[in-house]
Amino acid sequence: MTTPRHVAIMGVTGSIGRQTLEVLRTAPEEFVLDSVAGGTNLEALAEVVKEFNLTRVGIARDDDRGAFARLVGPNVDIVTGAEGLRELASASALVVNAVVGFAGLPVTLATLAAGNRLALANKESLVAAAPLVQQVRASGGDIVPVDSEHCAIHQCLVGATGNGYRDVSRLLLTASGGPFRTLPADQLSSVTLDDALQHPTWSMGPKITVDSSTLMNKGLEVLEASALFGISVDRIDVVIHPQSIIHSMVEFIDGSVLAQLSAPDMRLPIAYCLGLPDRLATEWGRLDFAAGLHLEFSAPRRDDFLALDLAYGAARRGGAAPAWLSAANEVAVAAFLERRIGWRDIVAVVATTLDSYVDVALTSVEELVREDATARRVAHDTLAH
Ligand code: NDP
Ligand code: MG
């Protein structure tokens, strides 16, 4: 790269945010970190501000402004809440959205509306707001996917863009299968929070780790892939691949399949998104083929992991159904993380919540925010019964 690229990281204190900083540290001449934002972990955020000498930073709650100002000193401009995220996301050429959940929506929309590049980890915003994202994407911003599966597909589709993907027959999203991949169905009711937090191949934040255990993460990723690449969910399949070496595949109409391989390490897709169209010379995730690679594939257990069918169903229904799916899932996962419900209840709450959904076409952000709030209310009511 010739001139340094200006970057903002939203959700910098989380798993993806911290790994993005690791990538930046390897290429200090190529990137300038303009700003960061976090939620409520003020001490960790203040460390980042100090290390990178930042003068603009976002925090979730205006109430924390005074406490945070004491940590970072008087020369840092502090913005707060959704408006703060929008401000920061509008101001940098490349914005990494590593916020978790629907709270990442302002980042996704503001980045694209400003014509900036969005390195998207926050799948929930795209799943919930797909029709709105398509509109705002047309204003010049582009999305590069941090999510490893979509990043793999992005790499496999290079050169296949000229004809609206007519040569593509299917996207094959790989899934590790999570910690309960081989657990007999009758034991799934007794799994604990600690069991669910033991992901076999990836170390991630708590919400996505639980989502991986239910396969809701893969369901959200089917919706994410459909929105990112403009391909119907009927042409997206999920393949269980426990080693997490192949990060996803594209099958073409002549039967050829392209795949992207590396060790499971999120710093690779993050570096790909930061560097695009160039590749950064990094050392992570190398495979040792001489040591022997064992790659297995199988179909998901759809009858035991109902989240997948719920996601396909929400995709086919369209409108605000994916937003309801994701909102109900956030409520249920939060309750599970607080040990208020069991593991099986997570997907049951989502299914019951979706039963109350009445079809609505999403035409505005205000409408989406209303639908999200309604879905959360219904999910909370479901939890209470
Ligand atoms: P974490 O829980 O580790 O981090 C979440 C980040 O979001 C934290 O920095 C948190 O701040 C911040 N945050 C939460 N609420 C707000 C808010 N209202 N305003 C500003 N910041 C907020 O999550 P992950 O890094 O694991 O995941 C982030 C996103 O990336 C998710 O959407 C996930 O699905 C996706 N993803 C993650 C992968 C991974 O390997 N971790 C892989 C692929 C996708 P604080 O801590 O200060 O509260
Ligand atoms: Mg993923």
Side-chain angles (χ1 to χ4, degrees), residues 250-262:
V250 177
E251 183 193 80
F252 293 87
I253 52 176
D254 60 0
S256 269
V257 176
L258 293 190
Q260 184 264 330
L261 289 75
S262 68

Side-chain angles (χ1 to χ4, degrees), residues 169-319:
S169 60
R170 284 191 300 162
L171 304 182
L172 296 152
L173 287 186
T174 51
S176 72
F180 310 134
R181 177 176 59 88
T182 57
L183 196 69
D186 60 356
Q187 291 177 33
L188 284 171
S189 335
S190 49
V191 300
T192 65
L193 173 59
D194 297 330
D195 298 332
L197 289 176
Q198 300 303 317
H199 196 279
T201 49
W202 296 99
S203 163
M204 310 179 283
K207 194 252 174 188
I208 184 174
T209 304
V210 173
D211 284 348
S212 299
S213 77
T214 59
L215 293 197
M216 183 59 86
N217 181 50
K218 212 47 58 179
L220 295 174
E221 290 185 352
V222 168
L223 285 150
E224 180 186 8
S226 178
L228 276 172
F229 302 110
I231 288 179
S232 155
V233 294
D234 298 322
R235 289 164 61 204
I236 303 176
D237 287 340
V238 172
V239 181
I240 300 293
H241 165 48
Q243 290 79 20
S244 300
I245 297 289
I246 291 187
H247 296 296
S248 276
M249 302 179 265
V250 177
E251 183 193 80
F252 293 87
I253 52 176
D254 60 0
S256 269
V257 176
L258 293 190
Q260 184 264 330
L261 289 75
S262 68
D265 187 327
M266 284 308 295
R267 292 171 298 188
L268 269 91
I270 293 168
Y272 174 82
C273 289
L274 292 181
L276 206 70
D278 300 320
R279 287 197 185 250
L280 305 181
T282 56
E283 295 301 323
W284 303 303
R286 293 279 190 283
L287 293 173
D288 183 359
F289 287 89
L293 271 189
H294 180 60
L295 305 178
E296 292 168 285
F297 306 94
S298 60
R301 290 163 54 194
R302 300 184 92 105
D303 292 344
D304 299 322
F305 294 86
L306 298 172
L308 268 186
D309 285 351
L310 285 179
Y312 276 94
R316 293 188 181 110
R317 206 155 166 190

Side-chain angles (χ1 to χ4, degrees), residues 11 32 41 49 57 86 111 141 224 244 264 290 305 314-315 349 382:
V32 177
N41 186 351
V49 171
V57 58
R86 274 192 283 274
T111 303
E224 180 186 8
S244 300
F305 294 86
V349 166
T382 309

Side-chain angles (χ1 to χ4, degrees), residues 11-17 19 38-41 60 85 98-101 103 121-124 147 203-206 208 266:
V12 73
T13 48
S15 162
I16 293 290
Q19 292 181 83
T40 53
N41 186 351
L85 290 176
V99 174
V100 62
N122 176 264
K123 63 193 84 183
E124 295 92 342
D147 211 352
S203 163
M204 310 179 283
I208 184 174
M266 284 308 295

Side-chain angles (χ1 to χ4, degrees), residues 46 65 189 341:
R65 184 187 284 276
S189 335
I341 60 172

